[in-house]
Structures are given as C-alpha cells and as structure tokens.
Amino acid sequence: MDPGIAFGQVLRELRKEAGLSQEQLAFEAGIERNFVSLIERGVNQPTIRVIFKLSAALQILPSKMLKLVEEKILHAHL
C-alpha cells in the first residue's frame, strides 16, 4: 500500500473517531479544509510540520499517528 494512501486512511479514521468534520480539523490544525480532503484521498501528502499540526488537533502523538500508518501498510502486505 502506498504510504500516502495509508496516511490518508488513518487521518480519516482518526478524524471520524474524534467526531470532527474536515472543516473542523482544518480549523484546529490551521490548514485549509481542501488540503485535509486531498490528504485523506491520498492526492497530497503532508509535510512534517502539517503532520504535527494534525496530530495536535487530533490530540495524538505524531509518532502514534505514523505507527498507525506503518501498521496499515504492513497489514496490507499480509
């Protein structure tokens, strides 16, 4: 699985678990709503700075977020 696609899927799952819309997450993270959509669809990939902003908005450590992405990629290969 492509890491960008995996990150987008994890981001969408975490956002929904937090009960946030794309617009709410974007506001909390200080980024554009359209960019959240593009990340979730795997079209764009976030910078390290954006990963930190998103994880702060979701109240999760960036390392935990990336661990979830890593697990998704590894499970896709099994």
Side-chain angles (χ1 to χ4, degrees), residues 7 13 17 25 30 34 36 46 50-51 70:
F7 187 90
E13 291 164 8
E17 285 175 16
L25 176 58
N34 187 50
V36 172
V50 171
I51 290 172
E70 180 183 23

Side-chain angles (χ1 to χ4, degrees), residues 1-36:
M1 174 178 281
D2 177 78
I5 299 289
F7 187 90
Q9 290 175 358
V10 167
L11 179 61
R12 181 179 293 116
E13 291 164 8
L14 290 171
R15 176 179 61 76
K16 288 185 175 190
E17 285 175 16
L20 298 173
S21 67
Q22 287 181 345
E23 188 171 358
Q24 290 168 318
L25 176 58
F27 178 79
E28 292 295 325
I31 61 176
E32 295 291 324
R33 189 217 50 89
N34 187 50
F35 192 48
V36 172

Side-chain angles (χ1 to χ4, degrees), residues 1-2 71-78:
M1 174 178 281
D2 177 78
E71 290 169 1
K72 185 170 281 291
I73 292 168
L74 291 175
H75 286 118
H77 293 299
L78 297 178

Side-chain angles (χ1 to χ4, degrees), residues 40-69:
E40 286 188 0
R41 290 185 285 135
V43 175
N44 282 12
Q45 279 147 49
T47 63
I48 294 295
R49 181 173 283 117
V50 171
I51 290 172
F52 272 75
K53 288 180 173 186
L54 290 167
S55 64
L58 292 166
Q59 299 180 348
I60 185 173
L61 291 172
S63 58
K64 175 66 175 169
M65 182 183 279
L66 293 175
K67 181 69 175 168
L68 293 169
V69 173

